[in-house]
Amino acid sequence: MSTYGFRVDYPQLSGFEGVHLENSFVLDLKAAPGRLTLDVELVLTPEHPAYRPPAPGEQNCYARARIDFPDVRSLTWTDQGTPPAVDASGETDYGGIDALYWDGAAFHVEGDWGSIEVVSGPPGISRF
């Protein structure tokens, strides 16, 4: 728990309604001055306006998307030990997003690729 005594998990963040990050796949991560970007194969739930029944052979409704943390003022990335896998189609796969939450001071993003603490504007999702 944070020093602020609360934790806001991603489903309560604006724009994250109707997505399930734990079953989504991170395809790329980019940290640059002022910005953190995660390209993802995002799982949409039936509550999402773009939801459609899963394609044959798929377990979920997937959509390519970008999670963008704007106006980054501070970023710490630890535990960067696990290299990405390459899936059957030849795409890089960094695994899922195990957690995304805000503790009142910073956003925390965790997965097989490590743990990122980022002080930034609120993250947003855009499809591509």
Side-chain angles (χ1 to χ4, degrees), residues 2 4 74 101-108 116-120:
S2 79
Y4 292 93
S74 172
Y101 64 92
W102 182 61
D103 71 3
F107 292 95
H108 301 266
I116 299 173
E117 179 178 298
V118 58
V119 177
S120 72

mmCIF file with all atom_site columns, all heavy atoms in Angstrom, residues 2 4 74 101-108 116-120:
data_model
loop_
_atom_site.group_PDB
_atom_site.id
_atom_site.type_symbol
_atom_site.label_atom_id
_atom_site.label_alt_id
_atom_site.label_comp_id
_atom_site.label_asym_id
_atom_site.label_entity_id
_atom_site.label_seq_id
_atom_site.pdbx_PDB_ins_code
_atom_site.Cartn_x
_atom_site.Cartn_y
_atom_site.Cartn_z
_atom_site.occupancy
_atom_site.B_iso_or_equiv
_atom_site.pdbx_formal_charge
_atom_site.auth_seq_id
_atom_site.auth_comp_id
_atom_site.auth_asym_id
_atom_site.auth_atom_id
_atom_site.pdbx_PDB_model_num
ATOM 1   N N   . SER A 1 2   ? 0.395  2.310  -0.489  1.00 0.00 ? 2   SER A N   1
ATOM 2   C CA  . SER A 1 2   ? 1.179  3.532  -0.599  1.00 0.00 ? 2   SER A CA  1
ATOM 3   C C   . SER A 1 2   ? 1.200  4.293  0.719   1.00 0.00 ? 2   SER A C   1
ATOM 4   O O   . SER A 1 2   ? 0.453  4.008  1.639   1.00 0.00 ? 2   SER A O   1
ATOM 5   C CB  . SER A 1 2   ? 0.588  4.432  -1.678  1.00 0.00 ? 2   SER A CB  1
ATOM 6   O OG  . SER A 1 2   ? -0.545 5.117  -1.188  1.00 0.00 ? 2   SER A OG  1
ATOM 7   N N   . TYR A 1 4   ? 0.041  7.037  0.913   1.00 0.00 ? 4   TYR A N   1
ATOM 8   C CA  . TYR A 1 4   ? -1.229 7.760  0.915   1.00 0.00 ? 4   TYR A CA  1
ATOM 9   C C   . TYR A 1 4   ? -2.363 6.897  1.461   1.00 0.00 ? 4   TYR A C   1
ATOM 10  O O   . TYR A 1 4   ? -3.475 7.365  1.643   1.00 0.00 ? 4   TYR A O   1
ATOM 11  C CB  . TYR A 1 4   ? -1.570 8.252  -0.498  1.00 0.00 ? 4   TYR A CB  1
ATOM 12  C CG  . TYR A 1 4   ? -0.626 9.337  -0.968  1.00 0.00 ? 4   TYR A CG  1
ATOM 13  C CD1 . TYR A 1 4   ? 0.506  9.024  -1.697  1.00 0.00 ? 4   TYR A CD1 1
ATOM 14  C CD2 . TYR A 1 4   ? -0.863 10.663 -0.646  1.00 0.00 ? 4   TYR A CD2 1
ATOM 15  C CE1 . TYR A 1 4   ? 1.381  10.009 -2.107  1.00 0.00 ? 4   TYR A CE1 1
ATOM 16  C CE2 . TYR A 1 4   ? 0.009  11.648 -1.062  1.00 0.00 ? 4   TYR A CE2 1
ATOM 17  C CZ  . TYR A 1 4   ? 1.129  11.320 -1.790  1.00 0.00 ? 4   TYR A CZ  1
ATOM 18  O OH  . TYR A 1 4   ? 1.992  12.306 -2.190  1.00 0.00 ? 4   TYR A OH  1
ATOM 19  N N   . SER A 1 74  ? 9.155  11.247 -13.730 1.00 0.00 ? 74  SER A N   1
ATOM 20  C CA  . SER A 1 74  ? 10.089 10.330 -13.084 1.00 0.00 ? 74  SER A CA  1
ATOM 21  C C   . SER A 1 74  ? 9.705  8.911  -13.479 1.00 0.00 ? 74  SER A C   1
ATOM 22  O O   . SER A 1 74  ? 8.521  8.584  -13.559 1.00 0.00 ? 74  SER A O   1
ATOM 23  C CB  . SER A 1 74  ? 10.005 10.498 -11.561 1.00 0.00 ? 74  SER A CB  1
ATOM 24  O OG  . SER A 1 74  ? 10.751 9.506  -10.909 1.00 0.00 ? 74  SER A OG  1
ATOM 25  N N   . TYR A 1 101 ? -1.652 0.055  -11.289 1.00 0.00 ? 101 TYR A N   1
ATOM 26  C CA  . TYR A 1 101 ? -2.401 0.778  -10.273 1.00 0.00 ? 101 TYR A CA  1
ATOM 27  C C   . TYR A 1 101 ? -1.734 2.114  -9.973  1.00 0.00 ? 101 TYR A C   1
ATOM 28  O O   . TYR A 1 101 ? -0.586 2.353  -10.329 1.00 0.00 ? 101 TYR A O   1
ATOM 29  C CB  . TYR A 1 101 ? -2.554 -0.063 -9.000  1.00 0.00 ? 101 TYR A CB  1
ATOM 30  C CG  . TYR A 1 101 ? -1.260 -0.398 -8.289  1.00 0.00 ? 101 TYR A CG  1
ATOM 31  C CD1 . TYR A 1 101 ? -0.756 0.421  -7.280  1.00 0.00 ? 101 TYR A CD1 1
ATOM 32  C CD2 . TYR A 1 101 ? -0.545 -1.539 -8.615  1.00 0.00 ? 101 TYR A CD2 1
ATOM 33  C CE1 . TYR A 1 101 ? 0.429  0.105  -6.628  1.00 0.00 ? 101 TYR A CE1 1
ATOM 34  C CE2 . TYR A 1 101 ? 0.631  -1.860 -7.970  1.00 0.00 ? 101 TYR A CE2 1
ATOM 35  C CZ  . TYR A 1 101 ? 1.115  -1.032 -6.984  1.00 0.00 ? 101 TYR A CZ  1
ATOM 36  O OH  . TYR A 1 101 ? 2.290  -1.349 -6.343  1.00 0.00 ? 101 TYR A OH  1
ATOM 37  N N   . TRP A 1 102 ? -2.495 2.969  -9.308  1.00 0.00 ? 102 TRP A N   1
ATOM 38  C CA  . TRP A 1 102 ? -2.034 4.281  -8.879  1.00 0.00 ? 102 TRP A CA  1
ATOM 39  C C   . TRP A 1 102 ? -2.089 4.320  -7.367  1.00 0.00 ? 102 TRP A C   1
ATOM 40  O O   . TRP A 1 102 ? -3.081 3.898  -6.765  1.00 0.00 ? 102 TRP A O   1
ATOM 41  C CB  . TRP A 1 102 ? -2.921 5.365  -9.477  1.00 0.00 ? 102 TRP A CB  1
ATOM 42  C CG  . TRP A 1 102 ? -2.517 6.764  -9.157  1.00 0.00 ? 102 TRP A CG  1
ATOM 43  C CD1 . TRP A 1 102 ? -1.344 7.373  -9.484  1.00 0.00 ? 102 TRP A CD1 1
ATOM 44  C CD2 . TRP A 1 102 ? -3.282 7.745  -8.469  1.00 0.00 ? 102 TRP A CD2 1
ATOM 45  N NE1 . TRP A 1 102 ? -1.340 8.670  -9.035  1.00 0.00 ? 102 TRP A NE1 1
ATOM 46  C CE2 . TRP A 1 102 ? -2.525 8.927  -8.411  1.00 0.00 ? 102 TRP A CE2 1
ATOM 47  C CE3 . TRP A 1 102 ? -4.546 7.731  -7.891  1.00 0.00 ? 102 TRP A CE3 1
ATOM 48  C CZ2 . TRP A 1 102 ? -2.986 10.079 -7.791  1.00 0.00 ? 102 TRP A CZ2 1
ATOM 49  C CZ3 . TRP A 1 102 ? -5.009 8.880  -7.286  1.00 0.00 ? 102 TRP A CZ3 1
ATOM 50  C CH2 . TRP A 1 102 ? -4.230 10.044 -7.233  1.00 0.00 ? 102 TRP A CH2 1
ATOM 51  N N   . ASP A 1 103 ? -1.044 4.804  -6.723  1.00 0.00 ? 103 ASP A N   1
ATOM 52  C CA  . ASP A 1 103 ? -1.012 4.835  -5.262  1.00 0.00 ? 103 ASP A CA  1
ATOM 53  C C   . ASP A 1 103 ? -1.130 6.243  -4.684  1.00 0.00 ? 103 ASP A C   1
ATOM 54  O O   . ASP A 1 103 ? -0.873 6.459  -3.507  1.00 0.00 ? 103 ASP A O   1
ATOM 55  C CB  . ASP A 1 103 ? 0.233  4.136  -4.723  1.00 0.00 ? 103 ASP A CB  1
ATOM 56  C CG  . ASP A 1 103 ? 1.516  4.908  -4.972  1.00 0.00 ? 103 ASP A CG  1
ATOM 57  O OD1 . ASP A 1 103 ? 1.479  6.033  -5.515  1.00 0.00 ? 103 ASP A OD1 1
ATOM 58  O OD2 . ASP A 1 103 ? 2.585  4.380  -4.610  1.00 0.00 ? 103 ASP A OD2 1
ATOM 59  N N   . GLY A 1 104 ? -1.510 7.188  -5.523  1.00 0.00 ? 104 GLY A N   1
ATOM 60  C CA  . GLY A 1 104 ? -1.632 8.567  -5.062  1.00 0.00 ? 104 GLY A CA  1
ATOM 61  C C   . GLY A 1 104 ? -0.411 9.403  -5.387  1.00 0.00 ? 104 GLY A C   1
ATOM 62  O O   . GLY A 1 104 ? -0.487 10.622 -5.400  1.00 0.00 ? 104 GLY A O   1
ATOM 63  N N   . ALA A 1 105 ? 0.708  8.753  -5.647  1.00 0.00 ? 105 ALA A N   1
ATOM 64  C CA  . ALA A 1 105 ? 1.941  9.468  -5.990  1.00 0.00 ? 105 ALA A CA  1
ATOM 65  C C   . ALA A 1 105 ? 2.469  9.052  -7.354  1.00 0.00 ? 105 ALA A C   1
ATOM 66  O O   . ALA A 1 105 ? 2.988  9.867  -8.102  1.00 0.00 ? 105 ALA A O   1
ATOM 67  C CB  . ALA A 1 105 ? 3.011  9.214  -4.929  1.00 0.00 ? 105 ALA A CB  1
ATOM 68  N N   . ALA A 1 106 ? 2.329  7.755  -7.688  1.00 0.00 ? 106 ALA A N   1
ATOM 69  C CA  . ALA A 1 106 ? 2.887  7.219  -8.932  1.00 0.00 ? 106 ALA A CA  1
ATOM 70  C C   . ALA A 1 106 ? 2.009  6.088  -9.442  1.00 0.00 ? 106 ALA A C   1
ATOM 71  O O   . ALA A 1 106 ? 1.245  5.485  -8.684  1.00 0.00 ? 106 ALA A O   1
ATOM 72  C CB  . ALA A 1 106 ? 4.303  6.706  -8.705  1.00 0.00 ? 106 ALA A CB  1
ATOM 73  N N   . PHE A 1 107 ? 2.156  5.808  -10.728 1.00 0.00 ? 107 PHE A N   1
ATOM 74  C CA  . PHE A 1 107 ? 1.533  4.636  -11.325 1.00 0.00 ? 107 PHE A CA  1
ATOM 75  C C   . PHE A 1 107 ? 2.546  3.501  -11.265 1.00 0.00 ? 107 PHE A C   1
ATOM 76  O O   . PHE A 1 107 ? 3.751  3.727  -11.402 1.00 0.00 ? 107 PHE A O   1
ATOM 77  C CB  . PHE A 1 107 ? 1.138  4.914  -12.780 1.00 0.00 ? 107 PHE A CB  1
ATOM 78  C CG  . PHE A 1 107 ? 0.024  5.911  -12.896 1.00 0.00 ? 107 PHE A CG  1
ATOM 79  C CD1 . PHE A 1 107 ? 0.299  7.247  -13.107 1.00 0.00 ? 107 PHE A CD1 1
ATOM 80  C CD2 . PHE A 1 107 ? -1.296 5.509  -12.770 1.00 0.00 ? 107 PHE A CD2 1
ATOM 81  C CE1 . PHE A 1 107 ? -0.721 8.178  -13.200 1.00 0.00 ? 107 PHE A CE1 1
ATOM 82  C CE2 . PHE A 1 107 ? -2.328 6.435  -12.857 1.00 0.00 ? 107 PHE A CE2 1
ATOM 83  C CZ  . PHE A 1 107 ? -2.041 7.767  -13.074 1.00 0.00 ? 107 PHE A CZ  1
ATOM 84  N N   . HIS A 1 108 ? 2.058  2.296  -11.065 1.00 0.00 ? 108 HIS A N   1
ATOM 85  C CA  . HIS A 1 108 ? 2.902  1.103  -10.998 1.00 0.00 ? 108 HIS A CA  1
ATOM 86  C C   . HIS A 1 108 ? 2.411  0.123  -12.060 1.00 0.00 ? 108 HIS A C   1
ATOM 87  O O   . HIS A 1 108 ? 1.219  -0.174 -12.116 1.00 0.00 ? 108 HIS A O   1
ATOM 88  C CB  . HIS A 1 108 ? 2.825  0.460  -9.614  1.00 0.00 ? 108 HIS A CB  1
ATOM 89  C CG  . HIS A 1 108 ? 3.265  1.382  -8.526  1.00 0.00 ? 108 HIS A CG  1
ATOM 90  N ND1 . HIS A 1 108 ? 4.555  1.395  -8.049  1.00 0.00 ? 108 HIS A ND1 1
ATOM 91  C CD2 . HIS A 1 108 ? 2.608  2.348  -7.852  1.00 0.00 ? 108 HIS A CD2 1
ATOM 92  C CE1 . HIS A 1 108 ? 4.656  2.340  -7.111  1.00 0.00 ? 108 HIS A CE1 1
ATOM 93  N NE2 . HIS A 1 108 ? 3.478  2.922  -6.973  1.00 0.00 ? 108 HIS A NE2 1
ATOM 94  N N   . ILE A 1 116 ? 7.672  -1.122 -13.231 1.00 0.00 ? 116 ILE A N   1
ATOM 95  C CA  . ILE A 1 116 ? 7.903  0.284  -13.551 1.00 0.00 ? 116 ILE A CA  1
ATOM 96  C C   . ILE A 1 116 ? 7.079  1.141  -12.606 1.00 0.00 ? 116 ILE A C   1
ATOM 97  O O   . ILE A 1 116 ? 5.879  0.913  -12.442 1.00 0.00 ? 116 ILE A O   1
ATOM 98  C CB  . ILE A 1 116 ? 7.523  0.599  -15.009 1.00 0.00 ? 116 ILE A CB  1
ATOM 99  C CG1 . ILE A 1 116 ? 8.382  -0.224 -15.969 1.00 0.00 ? 116 ILE A CG1 1
ATOM 100 C CG2 . ILE A 1 116 ? 7.671  2.089  -15.292 1.00 0.00 ? 116 ILE A CG2 1
ATOM 101 C CD1 . ILE A 1 116 ? 7.966  -0.111 -17.430 1.00 0.00 ? 116 ILE A CD1 1
ATOM 102 N N   . GLU A 1 117 ? 7.745  2.100  -11.991 1.00 0.00 ? 117 GLU A N   1
ATOM 103 C CA  . GLU A 1 117 ? 7.067  3.126  -11.202 1.00 0.00 ? 117 GLU A CA  1
ATOM 104 C C   . GLU A 1 117 ? 7.227  4.425  -11.981 1.00 0.00 ? 117 GLU A C   1
ATOM 105 O O   . GLU A 1 117 ? 8.346  4.840  -12.279 1.00 0.00 ? 117 GLU A O   1
ATOM 106 C CB  . GLU A 1 117 ? 7.685  3.259  -9.824  1.00 0.00 ? 117 GLU A CB  1
ATOM 107 C CG  . GLU A 1 117 ? 7.018  4.324  -8.984  1.00 0.00 ? 117 GLU A CG  1
ATOM 108 C CD  . GLU A 1 117 ? 7.625  4.417  -7.597  1.00 0.00 ? 117 GLU A CD  1
ATOM 109 O OE1 . GLU A 1 117 ? 7.560  3.426  -6.855  1.00 0.00 ? 117 GLU A OE1 1
ATOM 110 O OE2 . GLU A 1 117 ? 8.184  5.483  -7.280  1.00 0.00 ? 117 GLU A OE2 1
ATOM 111 N N   . VAL A 1 118 ? 6.096  5.050  -12.333 1.00 0.00 ? 118 VAL A N   1
ATOM 112 C CA  . VAL A 1 118 ? 6.155  6.236  -13.183 1.00 0.00 ? 118 VAL A CA  1
ATOM 113 C C   . VAL A 1 118 ? 5.279  7.341  -12.602 1.00 0.00 ? 118 VAL A C   1
ATOM 114 O O   . VAL A 1 118 ? 4.122  7.122  -12.283 1.00 0.00 ? 118 VAL A O   1
ATOM 115 C CB  . VAL A 1 118 ? 5.769  5.895  -14.643 1.00 0.00 ? 118 VAL A CB  1
ATOM 116 C CG1 . VAL A 1 118 ? 4.386  5.288  -14.762 1.00 0.00 ? 118 VAL A CG1 1
ATOM 117 C CG2 . VAL A 1 118 ? 5.899  7.101  -15.544 1.00 0.00 ? 118 VAL A CG2 1
ATOM 118 N N   . VAL A 1 119 ? 5.889  8.504  -12.435 1.00 0.00 ? 119 VAL A N   1
ATOM 119 C CA  . VAL A 1 119 ? 5.164  9.706  -12.036 1.00 0.00 ? 119 VAL A CA  1
ATOM 120 C C   . VAL A 1 119 ? 4.858  10.430 -13.335 1.00 0.00 ? 119 VAL A C   1
ATOM 121 O O   . VAL A 1 119 ? 5.769  10.873 -14.038 1.00 0.00 ? 119 VAL A O   1
ATOM 122 C CB  . VAL A 1 119 ? 6.004  10.587 -11.082 1.00 0.00 ? 119 VAL A CB  1
ATOM 123 C CG1 . VAL A 1 119 ? 5.249  11.865 -10.739 1.00 0.00 ? 119 VAL A CG1 1
ATOM 124 C CG2 . VAL A 1 119 ? 6.363  9.806  -9.820  1.00 0.00 ? 119 VAL A CG2 1
ATOM 125 N N   . SER A 1 120 ? 3.567  10.480 -13.672 1.00 0.00 ? 120 SER A N   1
ATOM 126 C CA  . SER A 1 120 ? 3.160  11.024 -14.970 1.00 0.00 ? 120 SER A CA  1
ATOM 127 C C   . SER A 1 120 ? 1.716  11.479 -14.912 1.00 0.00 ? 120 SER A C   1
ATOM 128 O O   . SER A 1 120 ? 1.045  11.322 -13.887 1.00 0.00 ? 120 SER A O   1
ATOM 129 C CB  . SER A 1 120 ? 3.297  9.947  -16.053 1.00 0.00 ? 120 SER A CB  1
ATOM 130 O OG  . SER A 1 120 ? 2.288  8.961  -15.915 1.00 0.00 ? 120 SER A OG  1
#
